[in-house]
């Protein structure tokens, strides 16, 4: 089906981008906890989304402790919206096909 984004077919990537679309940016630990994944899984997911241009990764310090923040980009937000619209259209088409059969 057209409109589905292959990068967002992965449930973890979809979850992370959806979470980030609801805020300006989020600390790595908050995203990890929301997505219920390990640090390594989130790290790989963030890297894939960053490579796609959907997420911006910013590293810095709070006091002497290193921190990582993630933020959805404008492109990432647009891709999420398009992907969700395509999923809704797919579900509506399936429902319509099921009701005629």
């Amino acid at each position: 089906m057209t409109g589905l984004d292959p990068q967002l077919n992965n449930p973890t990537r979809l979850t992370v981008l959806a979470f980030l679309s609801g805020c300006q940016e989020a600390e790595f630990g908050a995203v990890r906890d929301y997505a219920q994944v390990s640090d390594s899984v989130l790290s790989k997911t963030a890297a894939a989304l960053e490579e796609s241009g959907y997420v911006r990764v910013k590293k810095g310090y709070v006091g002497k402790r290193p921190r990582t923040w993630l933020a959805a980009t404008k492109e990432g937000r647009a891709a999420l919206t398009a992907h969700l619209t395509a999923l809704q259209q797919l579900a509506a088409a399936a429902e319509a096909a099921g009701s005629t059969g």
Side-chain angles (χ1 to χ4, degrees):
M1 166 141 225
T2 184
L4 291 176
D5 189 320
Q7 289 297 321
L8 299 180
N9 284 336
N10 176 293
T12 304
R13 290 180 194 170
L14 180 60
T15 300
V16 168
L17 190 56
F19 178 76
L20 292 174
S21 72
C23 56
Q24 288 295 319
E25 70 179 10
E27 199 272 323
F28 185 93
V31 179
R32 178 200 61 220
D33 293 348
Y34 178 80
Q36 298 180 346
V37 295
S38 66
D39 286 353
S40 64
V41 168
L42 180 55
S43 182
K44 291 174 187 174
T45 299
L49 289 169
E50 184 179 34
E51 188 176 314
S52 297
Y54 293 173
V55 166
R56 179 178 44 82
V57 177
K58 180 176 79 174
K59 295 185 180 280
Y61 288 87
V62 174
K64 293 184 177 184
R65 296 180 181 248
R67 292 286 185 253
T68 301
W69 294 271
L70 306 174
T73 64
K74 184 178 177 180
E75 295 80 10
R77 291 173 194 273
L80 177 65
T81 299
H83 188 76
L84 293 176
T85 298
L87 285 172
Q88 289 171 334
Q89 291 170 347
L90 178 63
E95 184 177 337
S99 67
T100 61

